[in-house]
Amino acid sequence: DSIAATDTIEVRTPGEEDGTVPLSTGEILDGEVDVATSVPESTLGPQPTLTPVIIPGLGIEIPHLTDEEEIEIGRQASAEFEREYPLSTDYILIERVTLIGERIESFQPRSNISYTFKVVDTSEVNAYAIPGGFIYVTRGMMDYIESDDELAGVIGHEIAHVALRHGAQQIEAIAAGQAALEVVVSGDPNLEMIYQDQSVQIATQIMALVAVNGWSRQAELDADEYGTIYMAHADYNPQAIIGLFTRFAAEEGESADDMLAALFAPHPPFDDRIARVEQAIHMHGLQ
């Protein structure tokens, strides 16, 4: 949960300094894409407040991504993901993930998003969230976790990536880059249709971001915090995620196991993630 590229558009969100989106269109601007969003304070709070994406220097204002556009691009990205990663047909595993996911889904703030839950047939220990509500847990993760509470922590984390619009913000940044290129080429891009017109290319880049690059450090920590809130509201024990992360932390840097290597690579140190979960439990009264 990497594409080699030298050209990036930097995406700045509150408290985040290291988010980047690979582009294949070439470096065409010196500014940054500003994506302003406020995180909901609780599962019962408002949805994130959005402002348009601005590319300084070129005077381009991109409308924010609608839920419908995110779902459609996510559907295309998930189809590409499933062409690359085979899905499990084990009914017991699929039902377990789906029942826990649907229980947690009720406590995230994006009511217009309908989540789907699937199991990837690989021994790799990982889980993935594609914009639009497409959640994947690997068979290896299912074998690794020791309880439904731990699985709820994993699923809650992935739901939080969607609920906090981490993927949607990346889609907006990619679209902004495409719009900037069209300004250079044609001088008159149809900004209102940029997400529809560029959906195939955006979906390809989003799939690679999710499956290979992973999220930024800040996005991962935010997903840890809000995933913990969601799972706790769904009556799962938030202490379970600390237990899971503690086992991961014990193996981080010591394990040569390829099944865990992909999980360790893109994530912040698990000691930091444990601290964030402990802070969330304390601050939000999730005892």
Side-chain angles (χ1 to χ4, degrees):
D1 147 26
S2 115
I3 303 175
T6 58
D7 300 323
T8 63
I9 284 182
E10 294 187 1
V11 185
R12 298 189 301 171
T13 59
E16 181 172 352
E17 298 176 353
D18 56 351
T20 57
V21 178
L23 292 179
S24 58
T25 54
E27 189 170 1
I28 53 179
L29 65 157
D30 297 324
E32 294 178 324
V33 178
D34 290 330
V35 183
T37 179
S38 62
V39 176
E41 295 182 358
S42 75
T43 55
L44 303 179
Q47 298 198 22
T49 300
L50 308 176
T51 59
V53 182
I54 306 295
I55 304 179
L58 292 181
I60 296 176
E61 181 174 305
I62 306 297
H64 72 77
L65 187 73
T66 67
D67 289 343
E68 292 76 14
E69 289 165 339
E70 179 183 345
I71 291 167
E72 179 54 33
I73 290 173
R75 184 177 293 112
Q76 295 180 48
S78 67
E80 188 165 344
F81 180 92
E82 292 174 20
R83 284 192 290 270
E84 295 288 333
Y85 299 91
L87 297 182
S88 172
T89 57
D90 187 322
Y91 174 77
I92 294 176
L93 294 183
I94 297 168
E95 183 179 42
R96 186 182 182 193
V97 169
T98 300
L99 290 176
I100 292 175
E102 289 178 345
R103 182 169 159 184
I104 296 171
E105 174 188 351
S106 301
F107 296 94
Q108 59 83 44
R110 298 187 67 188
S111 59
N112 291 336
I113 298 292
S114 178
Y115 290 77
T116 59
F117 304 92
K118 298 182 180 182
V119 177
V120 182
D121 190 17
T122 175
S123 60
E124 178 184 303
V125 180
N126 219 328
Y128 307 91
I130 290 178
F134 302 89
I135 308 298
Y136 298 87
V137 180
T138 67
R139 173 174 47 81
M141 179 66 82
M142 301 288 290
D143 291 339
Y144 191 90
I145 54 98
E146 296 180 352
S147 67
D148 280 359
D149 291 309
E150 287 188 356
L151 181 55
V154 171
I155 295 173
H157 173 94
E158 301 305 329
I159 288 175
H161 278 307
V162 178
L164 299 177
R165 298 189 78 255
H166 292 154
Q169 290 169 3
Q170 299 293 346
I171 290 173
E172 289 170 342
I174 294 170
Q178 296 298 323
L181 179 63
E182 289 191 21
V183 167
V184 173
V185 173
S186 68
D188 187 27
N190 185 350
L191 301 182
E192 296 296 327
M193 295 295 294
I194 193 69
Y195 299 111
Q196 297 94 319
D197 293 344
Q198 302 294 332
S199 64
V200 174
Q201 182 171 348
I202 293 172
T204 298
Q205 293 193 47
I206 284 295
M207 193 284 286
L209 169 72
V210 170
V212 184
N213 285 1
W215 306 107
S216 71
R217 179 182 185 278
Q218 187 63 49
E220 292 290 0
L221 293 174
D222 288 347
D224 285 338
E225 176 178 355
Y226 283 87
T228 300
I229 295 171
Y230 303 155
M231 71 175 288
H233 277 265
D235 291 329
Y236 291 102
N237 182 3
Q239 295 290 340
I241 197 66
I242 295 177
L244 178 62
F245 284 176
T246 299
R247 295 205 308 278
F248 283 146
E251 299 185 50
E252 190 174 18
E254 298 180 4
S255 175
D257 193 337
D258 289 341
M259 292 187 299
L260 290 171
L263 178 69
F264 293 152
H267 289 89
F270 281 100
D271 287 347
D272 292 348
R273 301 182 68 185
I274 291 168
R276 184 63 172 265
V277 172
E278 289 175 337
Q279 180 185 48
I281 291 172
H282 174 72
M283 289 183 62
H284 299 281
L286 307 176
Q287 303 300 332

